[in-house]
Amino acid sequence: MKKYLIIISYFFFGTMGAYSQNSGLKSSVQEVETKVDSVLNLMTLEEKVGQMVQYNGSWDLTGPASEVGNKEKEERLKKGLVGSMLNVLSVEATEKAQRMNMENSRMKIPLIFGYDVIHGYKTIFPVPLGETASWDLDAAKESARIAALESVAEGVNWTFSPMIDISRDARWGRIMEGSGEDPYLTAKIAVAKVNGYQGEDLADPNTIAATAKHFAGYGLAEGGKDYNAVNIGKHELHNMVLPPFKAAADAGVATFMNSFNTIDGIPATGSERLQRDILKGAWDWQGFVVSDWGSISEMIPHGFARDKVHAAEIAVTAGSDMDMEGGAYEAGLAQLVNEGKIDEALIDEAVKRILRVKFKMGLFEDPYKYMNADLKKNVPYEEHRKTARDIAKKSIVLLKNENDLLPIKSSVKKIAVIGPLADDKDTPIGNWRAQGEANSAVSVLEGLKNTDLKAKMTYAKGVTLGEGERSFLMPLKINKTDRSGIPDAVAKAKDAELVVMVLGEDAFQSGEGRSQANIGLAGLQLELLKEVHKVNKNIVLVLMNGRPIEITWASENIPAIVEAWQLGTESGNAIADVLLGKYNPSGKLPVSFPRAVGQEPLYYNRMNTGRPSNDQHVTYSHYTDITNGPLYPFGYGLSYTSFEYGEPNLSSSELNTGGSATLTVSVTNTGDVKGKEVVQLYLHDLVASVARPIKELKGFEMVELAPGETKNVEFTIDDKMLEFYTASEKWEAEEGEFELMVGGNSEDLKTVKLNFNK
Ligand code: NOJ
């Protein structure tokens, strides 16, 4: 009788939609919990384990294929033994899989469909590192909202994004996928992304569930080599790596993904400390954790688990709720419960978390709500392109502009557009391109031709960069021998007044598994640049790259350098907007650019060391063969105008617990054109129970100023801002002296002192 009532209540709530989706209300949380419990109570152990299994729809692999064949996957779907699928694309395909599950399984628990929607679905936005360079949180949110809309139009209702791994090593190919080296900026972007994807209400069919990944430390792989071990201490973990994840959790991100790496010998996937104690314990986060692709089974080669069953035991105990294409949970969990090795309560906890997300997405009310073919017809793709162009131009960073070579003067009569990426319509789409079509971007050459530029334009590729077939899983071959196009490029450069050279990285040079030991201009590009430079010094170098690249020679010899990342669908138009001065560049680097690869990992928020400088001797912290510090620092970026900062003023140099002070700084546009400046605030805790970085970003604000205009920018300083994970292992502010620094990048700063008393 009891069971019967529960069934009734499940179908009542399920079909009548009595649940208010406003998850902010206590009662709705309670209602969801009641429903989750009522479903869980009806499930067999096998069905529960099934919810914890995620299968790949085999046609779009983003990792090594599992041993489970398609036929077997279908059979399991029909029995309701799959909780989710990834890489199943299109309304037809997702609907087919959902029907297979809903029409045949006993429990009829809807599937969710995940996909790597990293920087757009069809309309492609700048790669995340590039978009972060805009320091524009509304832009980050808007591109996520658009990506969500285009995803649901194809049946996808869950993205494995944002990637919020702090990454400070340009050798690591996945640096393109995150927001760079700073935890404060990354946390802000994380929240913007989660809000953009998930909107106000996860049940809204125009939103998708987001994933905070990779939990944790993945971006700090030793040597910048993907999947490598991470060796960081607890303070680095808490102060540098975890803040963006905490921010995403607080913003209500639906899911977390754990990571491939070990931290101090423990695989993140098997880390109880990370998943149970911190995420689900201290942070009290209620969503579910999906493993990374096969990361549960990968605990075997890590030397942490004997076999899949053992790996399943470790992962479920540690708090990993869903096994992505790894085969460990289906191989091990039921057996482990039956043999009494794990408590079924562990499984229940994981399944509750998964069901909770499904309820919040409204899938029990309508499992097909995201499979609406009509939705696609109404997606305003043209509007999305306009937004993509707007965000792309905001993401561009002007690195150098000697003698105001830029913007291109209307008096210029002849321009040679040169380089392997100058007319490349594919590279701007970048890696992790979801359903962004190959060769669908506007190239730089096209972008320039689309303008009212009167100058005559010639074009030469010079050299090729990537050769042969390029795809997500295959290694890229770089051209290192074919120089046949160089003479033509040199001739065209010689004949022109101005050269626009477009160099950098192939789309598939950065991304997963794309770590590099060298980060200069690959192949024959530097040779081409030097040859062109011999005949024409008026060069504007446009860089397209997913990672910081080493451009020391160029920065010493080329008068104008524009960092244009991989800017997505509207790349060429956005670049032309900046080159012609239709948009005054406002981007700032979210990551340090090195003078040489040997400086990596390189980051501004570093420790001082006991020997920070010494002009006389060799015995201080430096490399003897290179100038200390980056070529271009974090937060750096020029404009076509110039800004002058006044002396910062603090309303009070004493701060007490619970109090606040206002830091005011004036910023003046001292040039001739309107421009935007990202005013940055950094902090240094001079003496602490744990040595603190020499500076850390604590705030930023974008101001727009007309020529000659001055604005006062204010930052509120309170004790929250001074907090860090102290020697007592908690977040708190410690008494003492602090430096507050403001300026337009992490090196050109003006300082005021502050005293904090408890
Ligand atoms: C492995 C990657 O590490 C992860 O970020 C991605 O979401 C999954 N593969 C699924 O493609």
Side-chain angles (χ1 to χ4, degrees), residues 88 90-101 113 155 368 371-373:
V88 179
S90 83
V91 165
E92 297 71 35
T94 49
E95 189 176 334
K96 189 175 161 205
Q98 193 73 295
R99 284 203 186 282
M100 228 179 253
N101 165 50
F113 294 92
Y368 304 103
M371 291 145 198
N372 178 356

Side-chain angles (χ1 to χ4, degrees), residues 253-268:
V253 70
T255 69
F256 262 55
M257 185 185 290
N258 57 33
S259 58
F260 289 126
N261 55 286
T262 56
I263 300 191
D264 197 17
I266 312 289

Side-chain angles (χ1 to χ4, degrees), residues 62 86 116 160 174 213-214 257 260 292-293 324 432 512:
T62 49
L86 80 151
D116 291 291
F160 305 128
R174 297 194 80 170
K213 74 184 186 185
H214 306 84
M257 185 185 290
F260 289 126
D292 203 344
W293 184 294
M324 181 191 287
W432 288 115
E512 187 177 348

Side-chain angles (χ1 to χ4, degrees), residues 8 55 63 105 108 177 204 212 223 230 235 285 314 328 385 413 420 462 473 495 529 586 616 668 673 703 706 740:
I8 297 272
Y55 278 150
S105 65
K108 307 190 188 317
E177 234 185 289
D204 179 339
V230 172
H235 293 289
W285 174 77
I314 295 169
R385 284 191 77 118
K413 296 272 178 320
L473 284 179
D495 187 41
L529 180 61
S586 54
Q616 311 293 319
T668 305
V673 286
V703 280
L740 292 162

